[in-house]
Amino acid sequence: MRSLFITLFFCGSVGIILAQGSAFGIKGGITASRQRWDNNFDRDMLLRYHGIAFIESLAEDTRFSLFAQAGYHIKGSAIRTPRSAVTGSGGTIFTVPAQQISFEYRNASLTVGAKQHLDLDLGDKKLYYLFGLRGEYTINTLLGPRIPNEYDIFTIYYPIPEFVRKINYGITVGGGIHVPFDDLVGVLLEFTVNPDFSYQYDQPPLENIINPNPWAPRGNITLPQRRSTNLAFELSLGFRFLRKVIYVD
Protein backbone atom coordinates (compact mmCIF):
# COMPACT_ATOMS: atom_id res chain seq x y z
CA MET A 1 0.00 0.00 0.00
CA ARG A 2 2.78 2.44 0.88
CA SER A 3 4.57 1.71 -2.42
CA LEU A 4 1.32 2.25 -4.35
CA PHE A 5 0.76 5.60 -2.63
CA ILE A 6 4.30 6.76 -3.46
CA THR A 7 3.88 5.69 -7.10
CA LEU A 8 0.55 7.52 -7.46
CA PHE A 9 1.95 10.61 -5.76
CA PHE A 10 4.94 10.62 -8.11
CA CYS A 11 2.81 10.15 -11.23
CA GLY A 12 0.42 12.90 -10.13
CA SER A 13 3.28 15.29 -9.47
CA VAL A 14 4.82 14.61 -12.88
CA GLY A 15 1.44 15.23 -14.51
CA ILE A 16 1.10 18.61 -12.81
CA ILE A 17 4.67 19.52 -13.74
CA LEU A 18 4.26 18.65 -17.42
CA ALA A 19 0.96 20.50 -17.69
CA GLN A 20 2.57 23.82 -16.71
CA GLY A 21 5.72 23.60 -18.80
CA SER A 22 8.83 22.28 -17.16
CA ALA A 23 12.53 22.34 -16.50
CA PHE A 24 14.46 19.09 -16.62
CA GLY A 25 18.02 17.92 -16.45
CA ILE A 26 20.70 15.80 -14.84
CA LYS A 27 23.03 16.37 -11.90
CA GLY A 28 25.59 14.42 -9.95
CA GLY A 29 28.58 14.68 -7.69
CA ILE A 30 29.99 13.71 -4.32
CA THR A 31 28.11 11.84 -1.60
CA ALA A 32 29.56 11.99 1.93
CA SER A 33 27.59 9.62 4.14
CA ARG A 34 27.72 8.07 7.55
CA GLN A 35 25.52 5.78 9.60
CA ARG A 36 24.14 6.11 13.09
CA TRP A 37 24.39 2.73 14.83
CA ASP A 38 22.67 1.41 17.94
CA ASN A 39 24.78 -0.59 20.44
CA ASN A 40 27.95 -0.32 18.33
CA PHE A 41 31.03 1.81 17.86
CA ASP A 42 30.96 4.79 15.49
CA ARG A 43 31.79 4.36 11.82
CA ASP A 44 33.78 6.84 9.75
CA MET A 45 32.41 8.82 6.83
CA LEU A 46 32.20 7.18 3.40
CA LEU A 47 32.94 9.25 0.28
CA ARG A 48 31.25 8.03 -2.90
CA TYR A 49 29.08 9.52 -5.68
CA HIS A 50 25.52 9.95 -6.96
CA GLY A 51 23.66 10.70 -10.20
CA ILE A 52 20.15 12.18 -10.54
CA ALA A 53 17.65 12.94 -13.32
CA PHE A 54 15.01 15.54 -12.44
CA ILE A 55 11.98 17.44 -13.72
CA GLU A 56 10.24 20.47 -12.20
CA SER A 57 7.32 22.76 -12.95
CA LEU A 58 7.89 26.08 -14.67
CA ALA A 59 5.68 29.13 -14.11
CA GLU A 60 6.80 32.68 -14.85
CA ASP A 61 4.33 34.28 -12.44
CA THR A 62 5.59 32.50 -9.30
CA ARG A 63 8.88 31.58 -7.66
CA PHE A 64 7.37 28.32 -6.35
CA SER A 65 7.74 25.02 -8.24
CA LEU A 66 7.18 21.29 -7.80
CA PHE A 67 9.83 18.74 -8.65
CA ALA A 68 10.34 15.00 -9.01
CA GLN A 69 13.68 13.24 -9.34
CA ALA A 70 15.12 9.74 -9.59
CA GLY A 71 18.69 8.89 -8.70
CA TYR A 72 21.41 6.40 -7.86
CA HIS A 73 23.30 6.92 -4.59
CA ILE A 74 26.07 4.98 -2.84
CA LYS A 75 25.64 5.43 0.90
CA GLY A 76 27.03 3.78 4.01
CA SER A 77 30.04 4.14 6.29
CA ALA A 78 33.63 2.98 6.73
CA ILE A 79 36.16 1.78 9.28
CA ARG A 80 39.67 3.27 9.10
CA THR A 81 42.39 1.99 11.41
CA PRO A 82 46.09 2.94 11.55
CA ARG A 83 48.97 0.46 11.42
CA SER A 84 49.37 -1.08 14.88
CA ALA A 85 51.06 -3.83 16.89
CA VAL A 86 49.08 -6.47 18.80
CA THR A 87 50.41 -8.84 21.45
CA GLY A 88 49.03 -12.37 21.17
CA SER A 89 48.21 -14.77 24.00
CA GLY A 90 51.74 -16.30 23.88
CA GLY A 91 53.47 -12.93 24.03
CA THR A 92 54.15 -12.84 20.29
CA ILE A 93 53.84 -9.38 18.74
CA PHE A 94 51.93 -9.14 15.46
CA THR A 95 51.86 -6.13 13.14
CA VAL A 96 48.40 -5.23 11.85
CA PRO A 97 48.52 -3.11 8.68
CA ALA A 98 46.42 0.02 8.20
CA GLN A 99 42.93 -0.75 6.93
CA GLN A 100 40.07 1.03 5.26
CA ILE A 101 36.92 -1.08 5.09
CA SER A 102 33.81 0.20 3.31
CA PHE A 103 30.17 -0.68 3.95
CA GLU A 104 28.25 0.39 0.85
CA TYR A 105 24.52 0.43 0.15
CA ARG A 106 23.81 1.15 -3.53
CA ASN A 107 20.37 2.67 -3.58
CA ALA A 108 17.92 3.83 -6.24
CA SER A 109 15.87 6.79 -5.01
CA LEU A 110 12.64 8.59 -5.89
CA THR A 111 11.98 12.08 -4.46
CA VAL A 112 9.02 14.45 -4.84
CA GLY A 113 8.90 17.91 -3.32
CA ALA A 114 8.87 21.67 -3.77
CA LYS A 115 11.38 24.43 -4.55
CA GLN A 116 11.22 28.11 -3.67
CA HIS A 117 13.35 30.67 -5.51
CA LEU A 118 14.54 33.58 -3.39
CA ASP A 119 13.64 37.14 -4.40
CA LEU A 120 17.18 38.49 -4.59
CA ASP A 121 18.69 40.87 -7.14
CA LEU A 122 21.38 38.61 -8.63
CA GLY A 123 20.75 39.29 -12.29
CA ASP A 124 20.03 36.08 -14.18
CA LYS A 125 21.27 33.92 -11.30
CA LYS A 126 18.65 32.41 -9.01
CA LEU A 127 19.08 31.07 -5.49
CA TYR A 128 16.62 28.46 -4.24
CA TYR A 129 15.88 26.09 -1.40
CA LEU A 130 14.02 22.79 -1.57
CA PHE A 131 12.26 20.14 0.51
CA GLY A 132 11.28 16.66 -0.63
CA LEU A 133 9.96 13.29 0.52
CA ARG A 134 12.24 10.44 -0.53
CA GLY A 135 11.91 6.67 -0.93
CA GLU A 136 14.86 4.34 -1.67
CA TYR A 137 15.42 0.76 -2.77
CA THR A 138 18.72 -1.05 -2.12
CA ILE A 139 19.95 -2.64 -5.36
CA ASN A 140 23.03 -4.33 -3.88
CA THR A 141 25.65 -3.93 -1.16
CA LEU A 142 29.32 -4.22 -0.30
CA LEU A 143 29.57 -5.11 3.39
CA GLY A 144 33.28 -5.62 3.93
CA PRO A 145 36.59 -5.74 2.08
CA ARG A 146 36.64 -7.01 -1.49
CA ILE A 147 39.64 -9.19 -0.59
CA PRO A 148 39.58 -10.80 2.91
CA ASN A 149 42.43 -9.79 5.22
CA GLU A 150 43.75 -12.31 7.74
CA TYR A 151 44.59 -9.45 10.12
CA ASP A 152 41.07 -8.02 10.05
CA ILE A 153 39.83 -8.06 13.66
CA PHE A 154 36.58 -6.22 12.87
CA THR A 155 34.73 -8.90 10.92
CA ILE A 156 32.49 -9.53 13.92
CA TYR A 157 31.12 -6.00 13.45
CA TYR A 158 30.37 -6.29 9.74
CA PRO A 159 26.70 -6.06 8.73
CA ILE A 160 25.07 -9.36 7.77
CA PRO A 161 23.34 -9.24 4.34
CA GLU A 162 20.20 -10.99 5.58
CA PHE A 163 19.40 -8.06 7.89
CA VAL A 164 19.69 -5.31 5.28
CA ARG A 165 16.33 -3.61 4.68
CA LYS A 166 15.69 -3.10 0.97
CA ILE A 167 13.11 -0.29 1.23
CA ASN A 168 13.78 2.90 3.18
CA TYR A 169 12.46 6.45 3.35
CA GLY A 170 13.47 9.91 4.53
CA ILE A 171 13.59 13.55 3.49
CA THR A 172 15.81 15.74 1.33
CA VAL A 173 16.46 19.38 2.26
CA GLY A 174 18.90 21.83 0.77
CA GLY A 175 19.46 24.65 -1.65
CA GLY A 176 21.48 25.85 -4.59
CA ILE A 177 22.02 28.32 -7.37
CA HIS A 178 20.91 28.22 -11.00
CA VAL A 179 22.96 30.10 -13.60
CA PRO A 180 21.41 30.29 -17.11
CA PHE A 181 23.52 30.21 -20.28
CA ASP A 182 20.58 31.42 -22.38
CA ASP A 183 16.78 31.21 -22.34
CA LEU A 184 16.70 27.41 -22.44
CA VAL A 185 19.94 26.05 -20.93
CA GLY A 186 21.69 26.61 -17.61
CA VAL A 187 23.83 25.01 -14.94
CA LEU A 188 23.14 24.47 -11.28
CA LEU A 189 25.16 23.88 -8.13
CA GLU A 190 23.26 22.28 -5.24
CA PHE A 191 23.88 21.03 -1.71
CA THR A 192 21.45 18.73 0.12
CA VAL A 193 21.18 16.92 3.44
CA ASN A 194 19.43 13.53 3.25
CA PRO A 195 18.52 11.87 6.56
CA ASP A 196 16.65 8.55 6.59
CA PHE A 197 13.85 7.90 9.07
CA SER A 198 13.90 4.11 8.64
CA TYR A 199 16.57 1.53 9.41
CA GLN A 200 18.84 0.50 6.55
CA TYR A 201 20.08 -2.37 8.76
CA ASP A 202 18.05 -4.07 11.50
CA GLN A 203 19.60 -7.09 13.25
CA PRO A 204 18.21 -8.75 16.39
CA PRO A 205 20.54 -10.06 19.15
CA LEU A 206 22.52 -13.11 18.00
CA GLU A 207 23.91 -15.75 20.39
CA ASN A 208 26.72 -18.32 20.11
CA ILE A 209 28.73 -16.43 17.50
CA ILE A 210 32.35 -17.56 17.01
CA ASN A 211 34.72 -14.69 17.74
CA PRO A 212 36.89 -14.22 14.60
CA ASN A 213 39.58 -12.19 16.44
CA PRO A 214 42.65 -14.48 16.40
CA TRP A 215 44.16 -12.71 19.43
CA ALA A 216 41.06 -12.92 21.63
CA PRO A 217 40.29 -15.81 24.02
CA ARG A 218 38.57 -18.73 22.31
CA GLY A 219 34.84 -19.19 22.76
CA ASN A 220 31.50 -17.97 21.47
CA ILE A 221 30.12 -14.49 22.06
CA THR A 222 26.73 -12.77 21.84
CA LEU A 223 26.13 -9.90 19.43
CA PRO A 224 23.69 -7.26 20.70
CA GLN A 225 20.90 -5.83 18.58
CA ARG A 226 22.34 -3.58 15.87
CA ARG A 227 20.41 -1.05 13.79
CA SER A 228 21.59 1.79 11.59
CA THR A 229 20.16 4.70 9.61
CA ASN A 230 21.76 6.58 6.73
CA LEU A 231 22.68 10.26 6.74
CA ALA A 232 24.09 11.64 3.47
CA PHE A 233 25.43 15.02 2.41
CA GLU A 234 25.47 15.56 -1.34
CA LEU A 235 27.10 18.22 -3.51
CA SER A 236 25.76 18.22 -7.07
CA LEU A 237 26.66 19.97 -10.31
CA GLY A 238 24.31 19.67 -13.26
CA PHE A 239 22.61 20.97 -16.38
CA ARG A 240 19.06 22.37 -16.46
CA PHE A 241 16.98 22.66 -19.63
CA LEU A 242 13.66 24.46 -20.09
CA ARG A 243 10.58 23.12 -21.84
CA LYS A 244 8.09 25.95 -22.24
CA VAL A 245 4.41 25.53 -23.02
CA ILE A 246 3.07 28.33 -25.21
CA TYR A 247 -0.70 28.73 -25.41
CA VAL A 248 -2.06 30.08 -28.70
CA ASP A 249 -5.60 31.50 -28.91
Side-chain angles (χ1 to χ4, degrees):
M1 181 62 71
R2 182 173 64 188
S3 299
L4 177 61
F5 174 77
I6 293 174
T7 302
L8 293 176
F9 184 32
F10 173 72
C11 293
S13 299
V14 171
I16 294 173
I17 289 170
L18 292 176
Q20 301 179 63
S22 60
F24 63 94
I26 56 174
K27 55 188 176 181
I30 298 172
T31 298
S33 64
R34 65 180 307 163
Q35 292 180 309
R36 295 172 295 206
W37 283 80
D38 291 344
N39 301 321
N40 208 274
F41 62 88
D42 290 335
R43 302 304 210 266
D44 296 318
M45 188 163 284
L46 178 72
L47 294 179
R48 288 297 182 267
Y49 61 87
H50 64 276
I52 298 170
F54 66 89
I55 186 171
E56 65 182 79
S57 63
L58 183 64
E60 296 182 357
D61 58 343
T62 178
R63 298 188 302 273
F64 176 83
S65 63
L66 300 175
F67 74 86
Q69 61 185 35
Y72 175 77
H73 312 255
I74 301 180
K75 300 181 178 181
S77 56
I79 295 176
R80 297 180 179 90
T81 58
R83 185 172 181 272
S84 59
V86 177
T87 302
S89 57
T92 304
I93 298 178
F94 299 89
T95 298
V96 180
Q99 299 183 77
Q100 177 173 321
I101 303 163
S102 300
F103 307 102
E104 299 181 5
Y105 300 85
R106 294 136 182 188
N107 295 348
S109 72
L110 178 64
T111 306
V112 292
K115 293 174 63 174
Q116 178 72 41
H117 289 88
L118 301 178
D119 188 15
L120 299 175
D121 186 12
L122 297 175
D124 292 335
K125 304 178 184 68
K126 294 182 179 180
L127 292 175
Y128 63 88
Y129 61 91
L130 61 87
F131 174 85
L133 302 177
R134 175 174 42 80
E136 297 201 0
Y137 177 80
T138 300
I139 301 171
N140 55 46
T141 61
L142 174 64
L143 303 179
R146 298 178 187 275
I147 301 176
N149 187 332
E150 62 178 315
Y151 299 106
D152 191 350
I153 63 176
F154 296 103
T155 55
I156 196 67
Y157 299 107
Y158 292 173
I160 302 171
E162 288 75 14
F163 300 111
V164 173
R165 295 183 58 177
K166 293 287 189 179
I167 298 177
N168 286 278
Y169 58 89
I171 63 173
T172 294
V173 294
I177 183 170
H178 168 232
V179 181
F181 289 152
D182 54 36
D183 290 342
L184 298 178
V185 181
V187 297
L188 61 86
L189 181 65
E190 183 178 283
F191 176 76
T192 60
V193 181
N194 305 270
D196 283 359
F197 295 153
S198 59
Y199 293 113
Q200 175 78 79
Y201 184 81
D202 190 359
Q203 172 220 295
L206 299 177
E207 298 181 350
N208 297 320
I209 303 298
I210 297 176
N211 191 343
N213 187 343
W215 300 291
R218 296 295 84 195
N220 294 349
I221 61 174
T222 297
L223 292 180
Q225 181 184 49
R226 296 187 297 173
R227 300 182 297 183
S228 68
T229 56
N230 294 321
L231 173 62
F233 304 90
E234 295 187 333
L235 181 64
S236 305
L237 180 66
F239 291 95
R240 184 174 181 265
F241 307 93
L242 301 187
R243 171 186 174 274
K244 294 186 176 181
V245 176
I246 301 175
Y247 296 95
V248 179
D249 293 334

